[in-house]
Amino acid sequence: MSSLATAHGVDEAYRHVEKHARPASSLGLGDAVLKWYDVAPPDDPVAAEVRSLARRALDDAVQVGELQLGDGLGFVILHRCGDAGFHFLLAGTWRNDNELWETVWAKHDDADPGFHPWVVEDGHRPTFCVWELGVVAHERLAWTEYLASQRDAAARRVYLGDVFEGPV
């Protein structure tokens, strides 16, 4: 058993801050429909121009076949990370009944003109950070309710209308 005296992945200088999840208009990409969430500090939200750039990047990727989401439902998280303008763009769709599939893009800083696929080659790789998990937790519950429903057009509208806003 490893020692509990080590930091276990948390830098001693790290100070955790609260962020806020804010829903925005859903996005149709091909036959998929995705809810939209911005995640950022409550006093410094995602800039509208960055959100527009992210939405265009996803739409362009679907149009040229670089991003294939199928005909499902899901959600997007646009997460502003840190102070240098780094943003993660996470597109998740529900597949195989109960699995969340994810495509990750990033905008590296304010000088970066757009979003690019985030490629990780290692076998053990990051998934969601603690702030993103606040949105994922809500979406897991919303999807579970959808799975227990009639799963018809009315249920899809209920799922798409079930969004989260608050501290994460």
Side-chain angles (χ1 to χ4, degrees):
M1 183 173 179
S2 66
S3 169
L4 295 179
T6 64
H8 292 284
V10 180
D11 188 294
E12 191 173 306
Y14 176 78
R15 297 297 173 257
H16 190 71
V17 297
E18 183 176 274
K19 292 191 179 184
H20 196 85
R22 288 180 176 86
S25 306
S26 293
L27 180 64
L29 293 171
D31 291 328
V33 181
L34 308 179
K35 301 180 196 181
W36 191 280
Y37 294 96
D38 290 344
V39 172
D43 60 343
D44 194 12
V46 171
E49 56 272 10
V50 173
R51 184 182 318 107
S52 294
L53 183 66
R55 292 172 85 93
R56 258 192 329 272
L58 291 175
D59 188 52
D60 290 348
V62 168
Q63 296 301 320
V64 299
E66 185 178 0
L67 180 60
Q68 298 177 4
L69 299 174
D71 64 353
L73 299 171
F75 58 95
V76 171
I77 300 172
L78 176 57
H79 181 187
R80 195 172 68 66
C81 310
D83 297 326
F86 185 93
H87 291 73
F88 269 125
L89 178 59
L90 316 171
T93 56
W94 296 104
R95 292 191 179 175
N96 299 331
D97 305 325
N98 55 25
E99 298 173 358
L100 179 59
W101 288 43
E102 180 190 34
T103 300
V104 180
W105 291 45
K107 182 179 183 308
H108 296 282
D109 55 31
D110 290 332
D112 192 344
F115 285 86
H116 316 281
W118 181 263
V119 179
V120 179
E121 300 296 333
D122 296 335
H124 192 62
R125 58 183 154 267
T127 57
F128 299 102
C129 74
V130 69
W131 297 290
E132 295 155 0
L133 282 170
V135 172
V136 173
H138 171 83
E139 286 301 313
R140 180 199 119 4
L141 294 173
W143 189 250
T144 301
E145 288 182 24
Y146 175 76
L147 291 175
S149 75
Q150 294 296 313
R151 298 191 300 271
D152 55 9
R156 287 188 284 283
R157 281 191 293 278
V158 168
Y159 169 76
L160 291 170
D162 184 355
V163 295
F164 171 75
E165 180 170 4
V168 289

